[in-house]
Amino acid sequence: MIKKIKYLLFCFLLLLLFLPATAQDTLPILPKPSRHSINLELGGGSIVYSLGYEYTFSVKEKTSYSITTSVGYLGLLEYIVETSLKNKIIFPIAVNMIKGNKKIKYYGALGYTNLFDLDPTPRWRIKKIKNNDPEYIGASYQSFYAAMIFLNQGVEYNSKNIFLRWYISALMLVDSGNLSVGPWIGITMAKKIK
């Protein structure tokens, strides 16, 4: 009788070790949301327009953080307003915060834009203008470099693979030694990519 019990116990242990345990998963596996997107910004930190890439580097329960980098051109700006910002290539970069768990969320960004002139005034002419050379009195010049800091505050509407942002921007621009501060508006349209 003891031999039979030992034999049954041995068979039971073998059965436990070699039979795989299976169970049905009750929760569906959802695909992870994309962290990459391409966007078109009108206004805002790009002043007129720019094409960009955004990467979401932190996603928490109701808040996400991302970084956006773009490139744009201000050639059309001279037809809209009288400005020294014509014919410049721009490179905005921003850190974004999106807060909320609904389709419409709060959006905020802090960024910096480099502006490079494609046709700057030669340095010798700038020097003569700054030194009030009689030949160049009243003349203006294009600097090669300008910089701008911007702060965006607005809302973001999320759809499945597309998001739209509407916002108000506060801009601080330094160009040719002049400081300009003012409000601006912007809209960003973006498509999430894999």
Side-chain angles (χ1 to χ4, degrees):
M1 176 88 157
I2 293 182
K3 277 190 170 191
K4 259 187 176 177
I5 294 175
K6 284 184 182 179
Y7 177 72
L8 285 173
L9 188 59
F10 178 73
C11 289
F12 181 71
L13 286 174
L14 281 177
L15 188 66
L16 284 177
L17 289 175
F18 293 109
L19 277 180
T22 60
Q24 197 171 22
D25 193 4
T26 57
L27 295 174
I29 297 173
L30 299 173
K32 289 184 180 179
S34 175
R35 291 180 174 253
H36 308 273
S37 62
I38 54 173
N39 62 47
L40 171 66
E41 181 179 35
L42 303 172
S46 65
I47 304 173
V48 178
Y49 68 91
S50 69
L51 294 171
Y53 167 78
E54 184 169 321
Y55 176 72
T56 303
F57 60 86
S58 176
V59 178
K60 304 228 166 129
E61 189 175 317
K62 292 184 179 181
T63 307
S64 65
Y65 296 93
S66 61
I67 188 162
T68 304
T69 183
S70 308
V71 64
Y73 176 63
L74 299 182
L76 303 175
L77 191 60
E78 64 186 297
Y79 299 108
I80 301 169
V81 292
E82 181 65 32
T83 180
S84 65
L85 293 179
K86 53 190 170 192
N87 208 25
K88 288 193 184 327
I89 291 181
I90 61 167
F91 298 99
I93 186 167
V95 175
N96 310 305
M97 181 186 78
I98 295 93
K99 191 168 182 84
N101 58 357
K102 307 271 186 199
K103 282 193 170 197
I104 297 179
K105 304 175 182 184
Y106 165 79
Y107 161 74
L110 178 63
Y112 174 79
T113 302
N114 287 320
L115 300 97
F116 295 99
D117 201 316
L118 295 177
D119 187 25
T121 304
R123 289 179 191 241
W124 62 269
R125 186 175 291 162
I126 293 173
K127 190 173 182 181
K128 288 189 177 212
I129 293 170
K130 283 185 174 180
N131 290 334
N132 294 323
D133 188 304
E135 191 178 337
Y136 293 94
I137 289 182
S140 63
Y141 62 90
Q142 289 283 99
S143 65
F144 174 71
Y145 177 78
M148 182 177 69
I149 296 173
F150 60 90
L151 177 66
N152 298 339
Q153 301 289 311
V155 294
E156 175 180 290
Y157 172 77
N158 263 321
S159 181
K160 195 178 236 182
N161 290 321
I162 296 172
F163 61 85
L164 296 170
R165 294 178 180 149
W166 298 272
Y167 45 91
I168 296 174
S169 298
L171 307 177
M172 185 173 71
L173 173 72
V174 177
D175 182 33
S176 306
N178 300 320
L179 176 66
S180 304
V181 178
W184 197 241
I185 57 171
I187 184 169
T188 299
M189 298 162 277
K191 169 106 172 92
K192 294 178 182 175
I193 56 176
K194 299 209 179 212

